[in-house]
Amino acid sequence: MKHVLSVFVENQTGVLVRVVSMFSRREFNIDSLSVGVTESPEFSRITIVVHGDENLIEQMIKQLEKMPVVRGVERLDSEVAVCRGMTLIKVRADDTNRLDVLKMAELFRAHVVDVQPTTLIFEITGDDDKVTAFLRLLKPYGISEVIRTGLIALERGEHTIYEHCEEREYYGKNLL
């Protein structure tokens, strides 16, 4: 089963390596990883997509919470969170099929970000199902290249990851 973890961390050198190393040492596989600075430049948010059963996910969360640089961990279920990824797709599109390809892109709210005589590059954001459906429709026209970002997610409503942060002391230093 797919799980999305949002990890609120201190924005300092080596944090991503430490978090990813924890997964690697315990032989957890990461399906998707995305990192970005939050509204406060002192903190970053890491969105990790992993597969596993309930026990495995609980173990991952506990291991993350033990790390001094981790301020909070939140599991985001698709029913209570907005999850999106971005994809760039280069597709063959010449004078014979360009209009058809552009109509499909319009249906999926994909944006044209580059136009060349024989290709178009689209940017599409959404969940994996939306992107996969768009790719399936473009396949007969000839997809030259595809690149996907890692998933990013936020919980719906008034709840925030800050509610998952708790005061902890490590090495005599109050982190929050």
Side-chain angles (χ1 to χ4, degrees):
M1 188 170 176
K2 182 172 97 171
H3 300 274
V4 178
L5 301 178
S6 185
V7 185
F8 188 64
V9 297
E10 294 177 14
N11 187 18
Q12 53 182 251
T13 305
V15 169
L16 180 60
V17 171
R18 283 181 258 169
V19 170
V20 171
S21 294
M22 185 280 298
F23 280 83
S24 177
R25 282 191 308 273
R26 288 162 182 82
E27 297 183 359
F28 298 145
N29 189 38
I30 296 173
D31 293 338
S32 170
L33 180 72
S34 184
V35 184
V37 176
T38 65
E39 66 280 359
S40 170
E42 301 163 8
F43 301 100
S44 290
R45 196 163 176 159
I46 303 171
T47 306
I48 305 168
V49 179
V50 293
H51 277 81
D53 62 22
E54 195 65 32
N55 292 332
L56 181 67
I57 300 306
E58 287 301 320
Q59 184 182 2
M60 288 180 197
I61 291 170
K62 287 177 184 173
Q63 293 297 321
L64 286 166
E65 288 174 338
K66 288 180 184 179
M67 300 177 75
V69 293
V70 173
R71 294 292 186 97
V73 180
E74 178 180 31
R75 184 188 333 197
L76 298 172
D77 296 319
S78 59
E79 302 84 41
V80 298
V82 175
C83 301
R84 296 287 183 267
M86 185 181 78
T87 304
L88 293 177
I89 306 162
K90 185 188 294 185
V91 64
R92 290 188 201 102
D94 56 23
D95 293 337
T96 63
N97 65 0
R98 188 175 302 261
L99 192 56
D100 293 335
V101 172
L102 288 169
K103 284 180 184 177
M104 275 191 278
E106 187 177 338
L107 289 172
F108 282 86
R109 294 189 182 119
H111 302 281
V112 178
V113 293
D114 185 67
V115 178
Q116 298 297 317
T118 58
T119 62
L120 295 170
I121 296 179
F122 293 106
E123 172 191 307
I124 183 170
T125 59
D127 60 25
D128 285 340
D129 292 339
K130 176 184 175 181
V131 173
T132 301
F134 186 51
L135 288 168
R136 200 176 1 233
L137 287 176
L138 289 178
K139 191 174 184 177
Y141 296 97
I143 296 173
S144 301
E145 290 183 275
V146 175
I147 182 94
R148 287 178 137 168
T149 65
L151 196 69
I152 56 173
L154 284 176
E155 188 172 9
R156 297 178 191 273
E158 294 181 19
H159 296 288
T160 67
I161 195 165
Y162 306 116
E163 296 167 13
H164 297 272
C165 298
E166 57 189 38
E167 190 169 314
R168 297 179 288 170
E169 294 215 5
Y170 289 96
Y171 313 111
K173 177 182 174 189
N174 189 359
L175 298 177
L176 187 64

